[in-house]
Amino acid sequence: MKQLHASAFLRRMGFLLTFVITCNTLTAQQKLNDYKVSLSLSNRPLKEAINDLQENTGLAFTYFEEDIRHAAPVSLSVNNAPLDVVLDRLFTSRSLAASLRGNKVFITPAKPEPVRYAVLKGSVRDAANGQVLPYATVRVKGTEMGATADKDGDYLISNLRPGSYTIVTGYIGFVTMEKQVSLSGGETMHLPIMLESLTKALGGVTISGIRRGEVKALNSMRNADNIKYVLSAEQIEKFPDNTVAESLQRVPGVAVGYSYGVARDVIIRGLDPTRNAVNMNGNRVPATETQSRTTDLNGVLSNTVEAIEIIKTLTPDRDADATGGVINIITKSAQEEKPVLAGKALVGYNGLTEKANYDLSLSYGRKKNKFGYLVSGSYFQSTRGQDRIDISYADYEIGEAEVRKPESITYEAFKIDRKNLGLNIDLNYDAGKNTNLYLRAIYNKYYEFQYSGSVGNSIGEWTSNDQAADITIYRDGRWRDYHRDIFTLNLGGKSLAGKMKIAYDINLNKGLYDQPKYWNASFNLGDQSARINLADPSQPVLSYDGTTASDLSNYTTRNYINRHERVDDKDAQASFNAIREFSLGKTSRIDLKFGGRYRYKTNERFRNYYNHVLLASEDDFKLSDFLSDYKRDNFLNDFMNLNGFPETERMEQYFQANKAKFSDDPTYTRQNTDPDSYKGKEDMMAAYVMGTLKTEKLDVVAGVRFERTSFDYKGNQVLLDETGTYISTTKIDNGNAFHGFYPSLNLKYKISNRTNLRAAVTRSLSRPNYYDLVPWQEIERRRKRINQGNPDLVEEPAINYDLLGEHYFKSIGLLSGGVFYKNVNKVLFDYSYEQKGGEYDGYRINTKTNGGRGKLYGFEVAWQQQFTFLPGFLNGFGIYTNYTYIQSELTTPTVETARKIAMPEMRPHVGNVSLTYEKFGFSGRVSSYFFASYLTEVGDIAAFDTHEKGRMQLDFSASQQIGKHFKATLNLSNLTRAKRSDYFGSEQYPLNTYVDGWWGSAGISFRF
């Protein structure tokens, strides 16, 4: 058999060689149609037909026997027909081809025609109003071929062989539709899909408003390959939340930290913002803070976004630096074929400051034919306030006993003017040949101006349980402002290249933190005594002895502080993703995806602090000469009237006009400026490969990502001598790199069309903050202490385990519950040790280092449902509730011992409860957000730990549709004026109490 195969191979090679030589040596050739043939054949073997042709034409026909042995018999009758026509009739149906070279006709197997695949694309919309239905499932019946529509309702199914198909489209709350299509080879068919609402199944309640938004979010979650939660724009607007940070407090597993009464820091599953990522349209958002990689989400207005995704399990095509999770902000884009003009105008009131606030937005967009555009702008202005009591403690000897008593008591009132501006331009273009391009320009500006006045009391001695002496009273005034800006420019697209879908993106980003104005003045009066009532330890009442403390002319100062700080965080990113689908039979397929990302980043911090001190020849400043008219009546809910603060703007004006009367303290300037100023750059390169197996019941997403981060930072070494006087500043330059592989596995088992069981095992990381990597040093010889950064830090790797079950109600809603476990290694923590040997032997070194180990585990449950199954009036009711329980353990090695504590910022209990009603054009909800007490700062021992006390906030929001185009809206926040507070060790030692008051707004929104 082997010899037979070898001889056949040699014969075929000789035939091909003869064919090639003939082709290259003959210069004059005749054509097949130059020969005329007459034949009459009936059911004859093909070989006999070829012999007859040889006799008719005189040509030599050359072929292999195996090529014609099984050819069908020939029946043919022609008279004086061209040879090419006869050969075509003989050979085409038998998959043979003929070519003439000289006087020889070569018969060879015909090359098979390549399959020309078809493409099916279009959009999914609501038949009632034409609005898009994002994340709809579009499937080819009887197979696993299909697609999930994107956020604009567009879908694309490629690699379809010519033929007839049944297309099945499903969407929660809508009737599943089947449509027949016939596709020819190479065709791109546009198939718009219009779905009908399940009005009957929903008890006569149409899908609009909050229900439309909820349906969008539920479809996105149900069809996702990983575990995530989605808030749509319609859901967001039903809560009285103005920013993305405020909106996120409504999400299962998410807690928020507050800044002056407004949600700012986002904690996902117990992990603080440094261990989470903030993306915008899939790209990392630059930082707007001074030392960290975090972004202040107060700077993004909620009405500028289309949706917010909270991604809790990672896949290899996403950046790995998100151990807690990813907040992906999806901005608005053009979706409707008709022009859409939408906006709102609200006016509000703050109960603490008794000032108005304004909330305005306007957008216009259209998507028609090949081009779509949307332009939008939002503006928010408010005057907020906060009343605060700050208390610190020390141990005093009273009689013969040692008693813990307040060491300082400060009353402070804030007035905060805040302005937000959000601008968005979104352009998209269908370039043909299954290519779509987009250009996005997004700008978010967040400006905040603060004025605060405070009265502080530093207590030197307690002479009895309610009497203190040696008190220094400080009356401070402070002006400061902040700019936190985000700008992103995004150019990219999606294309179909043969059988491969590709996506590409170039992204330019800039984040800004700028504090150009910080004016601070502190006037003091010493040697005072007072009776202190501690009946309520969170609100001490001081009654000063005598009248000296009440005479503001007795308060003096000789200095005035002015400082400026700015951080620029810039980066350029490029990403590429490609996906190829492979069929594994009729009901399963595997999608192979690969790609990568490159990001180049610069982070630069500039700090300039000045302490302007009056010359010795100048008289002290008196508070009575610089008195502000700022005051807070009914401070801390009628606790007292607070006033008597310096006006720092007048002091700034005096300084600018009389600079010759001041000298600057170089030690203060250099010590507070140089260690905190730096320049840095980073390179991040990533590549991944992953596969998605889709079967009738089980989806598996598995793959691995590689990331490498290199960095170089330039910092400063500041040296102070034995008297604490500044000596010198030396530049330091240092760089390093770290890398790792990050595999992940996500499973989704479809118990039914509306019930999924999900599981995931992923590896992630958290990068050190910028400032922690800077090679800065502050050497204090007087104190034998060195504070410094640590460029040898590496990432925190973590292994994450998740299990979640979810059921989607036919009547619109979700019931889900799951558990999670995170094991974090090389945890970053503050490290203090004594230097042994060398120039600084015996010095105390304070720095950051890796080495802690943390584990975190818990469960989360969520239930949201519209009770459309109830009769009549009752079917407008609904519920939105979730609860998360978390426990953690962090082991931080120190010089003395290894102590186990909870992860800071982790709330052990956090949740939401909202009762909703929507019907007859009305939508309303009463909402509460709550969390339990948690650890905020770790002390040397448990008795020195700081905790924030648990709190619950109650909100109300409502809207009423007025005609087809208008809606009246009412929002009220913190109706019960809930306080925030923290304590030292135990609740009997309250540290701080914050009162933010209540606030609200009302107005009109419209859509044309």
Side-chain angles (χ1 to χ4, degrees), residues 632-646:
R632 179 64 53 77
D633 295 332
N634 305 318
F635 175 80
L636 214 70
N637 295 338
D638 300 329
F639 176 64
M640 67 167 62
N641 295 328
L642 194 63
N643 52 47
F645 315 122

Side-chain angles (χ1 to χ4, degrees), residues 575-734:
S575 65
F576 175 82
N577 301 281
I579 186 168
R580 169 76 186 274
E581 299 175 0
F582 296 91
S583 175
L584 299 179
K586 194 172 183 180
T587 59
S588 62
R589 80 170 197 263
I590 187 168
D591 299 344
L592 179 64
K593 188 176 183 181
F594 62 92
R597 179 185 294 274
Y598 174 75
R599 180 168 62 233
Y600 176 77
K601 175 179 284 295
T602 62
N603 185 267
E604 182 175 343
R605 184 185 185 195
F606 166 78
R607 209 176 182 193
N608 217 346
Y609 278 32
Y610 294 99
N611 184 16
H612 306 302
V613 182
L614 283 170
L615 299 176
S617 58
E618 298 293 326
D619 294 333
D620 291 351
F621 289 127
K622 292 184 178 181
L623 176 57
S624 55
D625 295 331
F626 293 91
L627 196 61
S628 170
D629 59 2
Y630 176 69
K631 62 180 180 178
R632 179 64 53 77
D633 295 332
N634 305 318
F635 175 80
L636 214 70
N637 295 338
D638 300 329
F639 176 64
M640 67 167 62
N641 295 328
L642 194 63
N643 52 47
F645 315 122
E647 180 54 81
T648 52
E649 183 182 34
R650 289 171 58 192
M651 296 199 71
E652 168 69 10
Q653 293 169 348
Y654 183 89
F655 167 75
Q656 294 296 336
N658 300 275
K659 290 184 178 181
K661 296 182 179 182
F662 292 84
S663 65
D664 288 337
D665 180 352
T667 296
Y668 178 91
T669 298
R670 300 272 62 87
Q671 187 176 10
N672 287 281
T673 296
D674 296 347
D676 296 281
S677 300
Y678 63 84
K679 294 181 179 180
K681 62 181 180 180
E682 291 186 356
D683 284 276
M684 193 280 287
M685 294 177 286
Y688 73 90
V689 61
M690 60 184 282
T692 302
L693 174 66
K694 291 186 176 292
T695 68
E696 189 174 355
K697 286 289 187 180
L698 179 66
D699 291 352
V700 180
V701 182
V704 64
R705 183 180 185 89
F706 173 79
E707 288 195 6
R708 182 182 188 274
T709 303
S710 61
F711 57 88
D712 183 82
Y713 283 92
K714 296 177 172 60
N716 297 299
Q717 181 194 75
V718 175
L719 180 63
L720 307 178
D721 67 13
E722 288 77 2
T723 66
T725 302
Y726 169 76
I727 298 177
S728 64
T729 296
T730 305
K731 299 289 185 183
I732 308 176
D733 188 347
N734 205 333

